[in-house]
């Protein structure tokens, strides 16, 4: 049964189950949490609750450590960069869609008017320039 309330990001697994699913010892999961590698959700009693995405991340941390020989500080940096890349890709995706919508609007407007006709509205932006250099001395 597929319940949309329980997606990949829903923290439902207690630490013992997450440890078994990831193939790691519960103490290793606690260490990864302390180091900020994989930070699970918390239940009302402050117990850790892992999501399926957390478990996948635990497996990836273990793979990078054992198969690639990367230390935990390096793994943490890799995970941070991967998150940043994912955020940037999402931002680019939205900007691309916005640009395509603007192109489409311009194309529709241009196809229905004569050359030199209607002007298109342009977004106005405020620009503040901070000049940190001292003012030039004036000769008298």
């Amino acid at each position: 049964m597929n319940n949309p309330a329980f997606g990949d990001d829903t923290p439902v697994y207690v630490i013992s189950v997450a440890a078994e699913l990831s193939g790691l010892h519960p103490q290793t999961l606690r260490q990864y949490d302390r180091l900020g590698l994989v930070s699970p959700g918390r239940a009302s009693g402050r117990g850790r609750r892992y999501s399926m995405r957390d478990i996948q991340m635990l497996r990836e941390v273990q793979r990078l450590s054992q198969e690639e020989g990367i230390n935990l500080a390096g793994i943490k940096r890799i995970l941070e960069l991967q998150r940043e890349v994912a955020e940037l890709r999402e931002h680019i995706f939205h900007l691309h869609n916005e640009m395509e919508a603007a192109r489409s609007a311009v194309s529709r407007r241009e196809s229905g008017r004569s050359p030199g006709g209607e002007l298109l509205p342009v977004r106005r932006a405020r620009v503040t320039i901070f000049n940190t250099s001292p003012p030039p001395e004036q000769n008298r």
Side-chain angles (χ1 to χ4, degrees):
M1 170 167 81
N2 270 345
N3 186 341
F6 292 105
D8 285 348
D9 292 320
T10 306
V12 293
Y13 302 104
V14 294
I15 193 166
S16 59
V17 174
E20 188 168 329
L21 290 171
S22 65
L24 299 170
H25 192 277
Q27 198 60 31
T28 304
L29 273 62
R30 290 183 188 97
Q31 179 185 10
Y32 288 176
D33 186 13
R34 279 191 300 276
L35 294 173
L37 293 171
V38 178
S39 299
R42 296 288 180 162
S44 57
R46 299 293 299 147
R48 292 172 175 87
R49 294 291 186 268
Y50 291 83
S51 68
M52 187 49 70
R53 191 170 319 279
D54 292 331
I55 291 168
Q56 292 166 347
M57 188 69 62
L58 289 167
R59 291 175 181 159
E60 178 66 5
V61 169
Q62 189 70 0
R63 185 191 71 75
L64 290 170
S65 175
Q66 290 187 351
E67 293 177 18
E68 304 294 332
I70 301 171
N71 66 24
L72 295 180
I75 292 171
K76 184 175 183 178
R77 185 67 179 135
I78 288 169
L79 296 177
E80 289 168 355
L81 290 171
Q82 286 176 338
R83 275 190 286 273
E84 187 177 334
V85 166
E87 289 171 6
L88 290 170
R89 284 183 175 159
E90 183 177 350
H91 187 66
I92 288 170
F93 173 79
H94 292 296
L95 288 173
H96 177 76
N97 287 342
E98 188 176 320
M99 182 182 69
E100 288 301 316
R103 283 183 176 161
S104 178
V106 167
S107 178
R108 282 193 310 270
R109 286 184 178 172
E110 287 179 350
S111 66
R113 68 177 178 99
S114 60
E118 167 187 359
L119 295 176
L120 298 174
V122 176
R123 287 189 195 170
R124 292 182 183 245
R126 289 183 179 221
V127 177
T128 304
I129 299 173
F130 295 98
N131 187 357
T132 58
S133 61
E137 294 186 27
Q138 295 182 1
N139 293 336
R140 290 188 176 189

